[in-house]
Amino acid sequence: GADGEGKKSPDYRSILSISDEAARAQALNEHLSTRSYVQGYSLSQADVDAFRQLSTPPADPQLFHVARWFRHIEALLGSPCGKGQPCRLQASKGRRVQPQWSPPAGTQPCRLHLYNSLTRNKEVFIPQDGKKVTWYCCGPTVYDASHMGHARSYISFDILRRVLKDYFKFDVFYCMNITDIDDKIIKRARQNHLFEQYLEKRPEAAQLLEDVQAALKPFLVKLNETTDPDKKQMLERIQHEVQLATEPLEKAVQSRLTGEEVNSCVEVLLEEAKDLLSDWLDSTLGSDVTDNSIFSKLPKFWEGEFHRDMEALNVLPPDVLTRVSEYVPEIVNFVQKIVDNGYGYVSNGSVYFDTAKFASSEKHSYGKLVPEAVGDQKALQEGEGDLSISADRLSEKRSPNDFALWKASKPGEPSWPCPWGKGRPGWHIECSAMAGTLLGASMDIHGGGFDLRFPHHDNELAQSEAYFENDCWVRYFLHTGHLTIAGCKMSKSLKNFITIKDALKKHSARQLRLAFLMHSWKDTLDYSSNTMESALQYEKFLNEFFLNVKDILRAPVDITGQFEKWGEEEAELNKNFYDKKTAIHEALCDNVDTRTVMEEMRALVSQCNLYMAARKAVRKRPNRALLENIALYLTHMLKIFGAIEEESSLGFPVGGSGTSLNLESTVMPYLQVLSEFREGVRKIAREQKVPEVLQLSDALRDDILPELGVRFEDHEGLPTVVKLVDRNTLLKEREEKRQVEEEKRKKKEEAARRKQEQEAAKLAKMKIPPSEMFLSETDKYSKFDENGLPTHDAEGKELSKGQAKKVKKLFEAQEKLYKEYLQMPQNGSFQ
């Protein structure tokens, strides 16, 4: 605006440059004359700077614009300050203003670290694309039943996956493969096929014995050449069992026994010699197998069994599953590009990876995971497979360290067309092609068992980075630890393994998972009775806590009564609760350390138990809201770990998956009524002294209800606690209780018997008159005085003063006992 026609008001820059304060106020008044004063006007920095040049509002009434704005700014920001002085908010003209606010310092948030096999250190986990996590896991080679080694790997990865997804809230895309083309599958399929054909021919006893002897010849050569002690022990066991089964059949044939007896011996030998005969049949007839369907039938069956086992273990299915047999075209293209990039070469219809060429490249490294194992021919040959380590195959390579990308199929092997002739994929290339097709040039996580690090995963890395021409195909490599069985190495090839189905016959999926949770996922886990007993006790410990909290929550209370005043005990327990939550979070950030998490959860439950016991001791109900919060948190964590099914809202489900909520909510009101009725009957029985009713009440509690999965816990002066518990658990508890009671009864009877014997011995001793007590001891004494006291030893020598004093003391003691005995009929001490 302007004061007059054609006259512009001065701007802030020119105003601030005026040194005289009166002149500066005059110029500022001219500038403000065109602006209306509005309470709450949003001040600009220029307004503030201009007014802070003035020490006081101008006294000249003509400069009322300046005076009015000065007071407004002073009320909001405080009085003006001198040059170079900090300006502080102050009260002005009786008005209070808000004090300055500063945010809290806070604490540094804990970040997730994972043990990365590529560095052998715990590294901060940083996905490549925000919260999205791409994850590839090596799946099983399906030629036999899934065993506890598989469970070790897949339960552990399931726990890790759930924690990343449900606790840390990552968006996890989880891919897993099924290896259904492999040397082991080809060999096992042929062996099964040829052995079935052999059985169909129903060989005579003499023919079977001849075939077994023929099969033993190459077997014994293999046994003598084997240096691995575990494998040698397995082969020796097979030899011993075959010999034990052979001898009865040989005797039966020689003795010309009846057909039924001979057939029985034949069946036993066929069972014991199955592996021996299958291997022999495959070595002689395997190349004649031409029906490709047998190579798909076997893995299809065992894949189905594997999925059923995973479902039984509550392992989440992958987001996408890849089968090698469905990705052969992609594998061929993958191999071709590696050759085109200069890292592969064709030899006699097979394609090999040139490890020397790859390692010499400036942008690549070979053996990232286990560099010290590069050149280990035993490991490399195991990676190539039993059907791919013949002398002619090994001679096709430029270097012994090279490995097969594509194998030319020999007679008796399945094959697919490709630019190099009919063949089949190598083992390592399968995962690279499938993972690369779905996850691209770089994934966040690759997982597998510890034993797959070299050569499988190192070769996967090499060929994938050769294909993509990068150095970062996998960002984090996770490897689960070995599994031992009672301290011994577990191996399917050594026939030293426990199937998942057999393990589930002994323990529940939850108990197996708890055992895994109580150990580090990357360390060796020993599957033994001690390990499982610890898991069982942990489950029981948590379950009792959940049942006690449920009982507290079932107590009737009005809507306001559920909120109770907190005392020191509640405040202390709540502080411990939050401390434990912090410790659990830090443990999960530390490489998903479930072992520490489980210990912290155990400690939290112990604190809750102490709190409940203290409240019970003073006949007061515990704080239900606090205990419910803790129980819900523990339930939430166990759900994250996959140890509780989704259907359960608090604690472990009752009655199996999908039935817990209905069962508990349906039967509990009736059980509560039964409990209250029983308590009333017991009270009357005690008052009226009717022991038969009390016995019936105890029988209901101890014998009848446990059969239905119901536990009644009686507490003096408190209502009976009602718990729904697994029936088998209750029956086991009842049996253990009976055994303890039986032991107590036996100990009591033994103590009574000993006491009776002691009393009888004492009575027999008391009956002896003192004058006769030494007369029978002729082996010690030869002469006695008139009172029956010994005077000479057995050799006729007079007793010394010390000996005489000793026998006299014994005589006087017996004299006292004998007097007591004579008085017994009068005082009735003995009947």
Side-chain angles (χ1 to χ4, degrees):
D3 288 339
E5 188 175 342
K7 182 180 179 183
K8 292 183 178 180
S9 64
D11 59 17
Y12 279 122
R13 187 176 297 176
S14 60
I15 292 171
L16 293 172
S17 65
I18 301 172
S19 58
D20 180 66
E21 185 168 327
R24 191 184 311 117
Q26 177 66 39
L28 189 58
N29 194 69
E30 291 178 11
H31 176 73
L32 294 170
S33 63
T34 59
R35 293 173 61 183
S36 61
Y37 173 78
V38 180
Q39 185 72 28
Y41 172 80
S42 179
L43 299 173
S44 68
Q45 188 60 44
D47 291 327
V48 176
D49 291 344
F51 279 92
R52 283 189 170 173
Q53 295 294 323
L54 303 177
S55 58
T56 60
D60 187 347
Q62 298 293 323
L63 304 179
F64 65 91
H65 290 298
V66 176
R68 186 167 58 186
W69 276 94
F70 184 95
R71 290 190 177 94
H72 177 56
I73 293 173
E74 182 184 34
L76 293 176
L77 302 179
S79 60
C81 50
K83 191 173 183 180
Q85 294 178 339
C87 295
R88 295 180 176 86
L89 295 175
Q90 300 176 2
S92 175
K93 299 184 182 294
R95 292 185 61 185
R96 290 187 177 275
V97 295
Q98 288 181 305
Q100 186 175 1
W101 177 85
S102 298
T107 56
Q108 192 68 25
C110 189
R111 302 183 69 184
L112 172 62
H113 289 67
L114 293 175
Y115 184 87
N116 189 357
S117 297
L118 288 165
T119 63
R120 300 185 188 179
N121 280 305
K122 295 175 187 176
E123 308 291 354
V124 176
F125 180 61
I126 306 172
Q128 299 174 95
D129 183 14
K131 296 290 283 186
K132 181 182 178 183
V133 175
T134 52
W135 188 335
Y136 181 84
C137 180
C138 276
T141 301
V142 282
Y143 69 98
D144 206 338
S146 303
H147 52 70
M148 284 303 293
H150 292 119
R152 168 59 170 147
S153 191
Y154 299 121
I155 290 178
S156 296
F157 281 130
D158 186 65
I159 292 167
L160 290 172
R161 177 187 176 190
R162 288 171 182 267
V163 169
L164 263 65
K165 180 170 66 78
D166 298 331
Y167 185 85
F168 290 106
K169 305 302 179 184
F170 288 108
D171 185 5
V172 178
F173 180 66
Y174 192 82
C175 173
M176 189 181 79
N177 78 294
I178 293 289
T179 298
D180 58 355
I181 301 173
D182 180 79
D183 285 38
K184 293 187 182 76
I185 293 172
I186 295 168
K187 189 173 181 180
R188 180 63 63 83
R190 284 196 320 224
Q191 288 177 339
N192 288 356
H193 174 70
L194 293 169
F195 189 71
E196 285 170 8
Q197 286 186 334
Y198 184 80
L199 292 179
E200 287 172 2
K201 293 177 182 177
R202 297 185 178 277
E204 295 292 333
Q207 183 63 50
L208 176 59
L209 288 169
E210 185 181 329
D211 290 341
V212 167
Q213 291 306 314
L216 274 170
K217 290 178 182 177
F219 178 85
L220 292 174
V221 172
K222 182 180 178 181
L223 174 59
N224 292 330
E225 291 175 350
T226 300
T227 55
D228 182 274
D230 293 324
K231 194 169 184 180
K232 197 176 188 72
Q233 186 179 18
M234 178 200 71
L235 294 175
E236 287 172 344
R237 188 171 64 248
I238 292 174
Q239 181 193 16
H240 179 66
E241 289 168 354
V242 169
Q243 286 176 342
L244 287 178
T246 301
E247 290 171 4
L249 182 57
E250 287 176 336
K251 290 178 181 177
V253 171
Q254 290 169 4
S255 304
R256 297 183 180 181
L257 296 178
T258 61
E260 188 176 336
E261 291 172 301
V262 171
N263 289 339
S264 176
C265 294
V266 166
E267 291 298 322
V268 172
L269 181 55
L270 282 170
E271 180 63 30
E272 295 299 338
K274 180 181 177 181
D275 291 338
L276 179 77
L277 288 169
S278 296
D279 207 28
W280 172 67
L281 290 167
D282 185 56
S283 64
T284 56
L285 304 171
S287 59
D288 297 334
V289 177
T290 56
D291 183 4
N292 271 6
S293 66
I294 71 161
F295 301 114
S296 58
K297 182 181 176 183
L298 177 80
K300 185 176 182 180
F301 172 80
W302 287 117
E303 182 192 336
E305 292 298 299
F306 169 77
H307 291 313
R308 279 184 276 274
D309 287 342
M310 292 301 104
E311 185 178 2
L313 290 172
N314 196 30
V315 171
L316 294 173
D319 295 310
V320 60
L321 184 86
T322 62
R323 297 181 185 88
V324 177
S325 59
E326 297 172 347
Y327 277 79
V328 173
E330 289 85 352
I331 293 170
V332 170
N333 293 335
F334 207 92
V335 172
Q336 184 63 62
K337 187 173 179 182
I338 292 173
V339 173
D340 294 343
N341 288 348
Y343 300 110
Y345 59 91
V346 181
S347 177
N348 201 25
S350 295
V351 184
Y352 294 95
F353 189 82
D354 193 334
T355 53
K357 180 77 175 293
F358 181 80
S360 64
S361 170
E362 290 184 2
K363 54 187 174 183
H364 295 303
S365 300
Y366 181 63
K368 284 183 171 183
L369 292 166
V370 196
E372 62 270 24
V374 173
D376 183 344
Q377 291 306 304
K378 182 183 176 184
L380 287 166
Q381 289 183 21
E382 285 179 1
E384 292 294 80
D386 289 346
L387 304 179
S388 309
I389 54 173
S390 58
D392 58 328
R393 277 287 167 90
L394 295 175
S395 65
E396 294 173 356
K397 300 180 182 183
R398 292 177 183 173
S399 164
N401 294 339
D402 295 348
F403 56 89
L405 299 172
W406 185 265
K407 302 175 182 180
S409 290
K410 294 182 290 188
E413 296 178 359
S415 63
W416 287 262
C418 69
W420 317 287
K422 287 190 174 183
R424 57 190 177 87
W427 178 35
H428 313 301
I429 198 68
E430 297 169 347
C431 288
S432 292
M434 293 185 292
T437 300
L438 288 168
L439 305 181
S442 183
M443 71 183 78
D444 294 304
I445 297 175
H446 191 322
F450 185 82
D451 55 330
L452 295 179
R453 294 179 310 151
F454 185 87
H456 185 52
H457 287 158
D458 266 327
N459 288 351
E460 269 190 47
L461 284 166
Q463 62 202 7
S464 300
E465 291 172 358
Y467 175 90
F468 289 109
E469 284 289 14
N470 67 12
D471 193 41
C472 56
W473 186 57
V474 175
R475 298 294 185 168
Y476 298 82
F477 232 126
L478 311 184
H479 288 101
T480 54
H482 284 302
L483 181 123
T484 56
I485 298 177
C488 299
K489 178 183 176 183
M490 198 217 72
S491 169
K492 185 184 283 187
S493 62
L494 297 178
K495 302 188 182 299
N496 171 37
F497 65 96
I498 296 173
T499 66
I500 290 172
K501 284 183 173 59
D502 286 341
L504 286 172
K505 290 174 184 176
K506 293 183 177 180
H507 301 103
S508 69
R510 182 194 303 138
Q511 289 160 354
L512 291 173
R513 188 170 289 249
L514 288 173
F516 287 17
L517 285 164
M518 293 169 75
H519 294 77
S520 168
W521 61 267
K522 75 177 190 66
D523 296 334
T524 297
L525 169 67
D526 185 43
Y527 177 68
S528 64
S529 57
N530 288 339
T531 298
M532 293 314 303
E533 183 59 29
S534 296
L536 290 171
Q537 291 302 320
Y538 192 94
E539 180 189 42
K540 183 178 179 181
F541 178 71
L542 284 183
N543 195 41
E544 285 302 313
F545 168 71
F546 288 134
L547 292 173
N548 287 330
V549 173
K550 285 179 181 180
D551 180 69
I552 291 167
L553 296 178
R554 277 195 296 270
V557 65
D558 59 36
I559 194 165
T560 56
Q562 61 187 310
F563 302 104
E564 304 158 281
K565 181 183 178 181
W566 281 22
E568 290 183 9
E569 300 94 336
E570 287 76 20
E572 179 66 20
L573 180 58
N574 190 59
K575 179 182 179 302
N576 289 334
F577 176 30
Y578 277 84
D579 288 346
K580 292 303 177 190
K581 284 205 287 188
T582 299
I584 286 169
H585 178 69
E586 290 173 352
L588 289 174
C589 287
D590 184 16
N591 196 38
V592 191
D593 180 8
T594 58
R595 181 175 185 170
T596 297
V597 170
M598 299 299 273
E599 286 305 312
E600 295 292 351
M601 288 169 62
R602 187 201 299 272
L604 176 59
V605 171
S606 294
Q607 290 165 351
C608 290
N609 289 342
L610 289 172
Y611 165 72
M612 288 188 287
R615 301 294 289 177
K616 180 180 174 182
V618 294
R619 299 290 190 270
K620 290 184 179 179
R621 298 286 295 185
N623 188 287
R624 54 191 290 142
L626 176 55
L627 288 173
E628 183 178 21
N629 283 340
I630 294 172
L632 287 172
Y633 168 75
L634 293 172
T635 302
H636 173 65
M637 292 308 301
L638 290 168
K639 280 184 179 179
I640 286 175
F641 295 147
I644 291 182
E645 295 79 357
E646 286 298 319
E647 290 85 354
S648 176
S649 59
L650 192 153
F652 297 129
V654 180
S657 178
T659 63
S660 60
L661 288 181
N662 291 336
L663 178 65
E664 197 157 2
S665 61
T666 301
V667 305
M668 265 304 173
Y670 299 98
L671 290 175
Q672 205 68 46
V673 169
L674 174 62
S675 171
E676 291 167 5
F677 176 77
R678 173 177 170 271
E679 187 57 43
V681 170
R682 290 175 74 216
K683 183 180 178 183
I684 295 170
R686 282 194 295 266
E687 290 171 354
Q688 301 296 325
K689 296 181 181 179
V690 188
E692 294 83 2
V693 173
L694 291 174
Q695 289 170 5
L696 284 172
S697 176
D698 289 346
L700 175 69
R701 178 194 63 201
D702 298 335
D703 300 327
I704 299 171
L705 290 178
E707 293 285 350
L708 303 172
V710 178
R711 184 198 292 155
F712 276 10
E713 293 180 0
D714 295 327
H715 299 282
E716 189 65 35
L718 292 171
T720 297
V721 176
V722 182
K723 296 178 179 179
L724 280 182
V725 185
D726 176 65
R727 176 178 177 272
N728 291 333
T729 300
L730 286 180
L731 296 182
K732 185 180 177 183
E733 286 179 359
R734 186 174 69 183
E735 185 58 32
E736 289 172 352
K737 184 179 178 182
R738 285 176 177 171
Q739 287 177 1
V740 170
E741 289 174 350
E742 181 65 16
E743 285 295 318
K744 285 182 179 178
R745 185 187 65 78
K746 287 180 179 178
K747 287 181 180 178
K748 190 175 180 180
E749 287 179 355
E750 179 64 20
R753 186 185 62 77
R754 284 199 302 267
K755 184 178 179 182
Q756 193 174 6
E757 287 176 353
Q758 289 169 357
E759 288 177 348
K762 182 180 178 182
L763 180 61
K765 185 178 180 181
M766 291 174 77
K767 288 180 178 180
I768 302 171
S771 59
E772 299 176 8
M773 67 179 293
F774 295 113
L775 297 179
S776 60
E777 298 183 18
T778 55
D779 58 327
K780 294 181 180 179
Y781 312 109
S782 58
K783 290 184 181 181
F784 307 87
D785 65 11
E786 64 278 7
N787 294 321
L789 277 169
T791 57
H792 293 72
D793 63 19
E795 297 176 356
K797 294 180 181 178
E798 189 176 353
L799 297 181
S800 65
K801 287 183 179 181
Q803 290 173 322
K805 187 176 180 182
K806 184 178 179 181
V807 295
K808 183 143 193 258
K809 193 174 181 181
L810 292 171
F811 183 89
E812 290 171 350
Q814 183 62 25
E815 200 171 30
K816 186 177 177 183
L817 284 173
Y818 188 65
K819 284 180 182 178
E820 287 180 16
Y821 169 70
L822 293 176
Q823 293 172 0
M824 279 180 189
Q826 286 78 20
N827 58 30
S829 298
F830 286 85
Q831 299 297 326

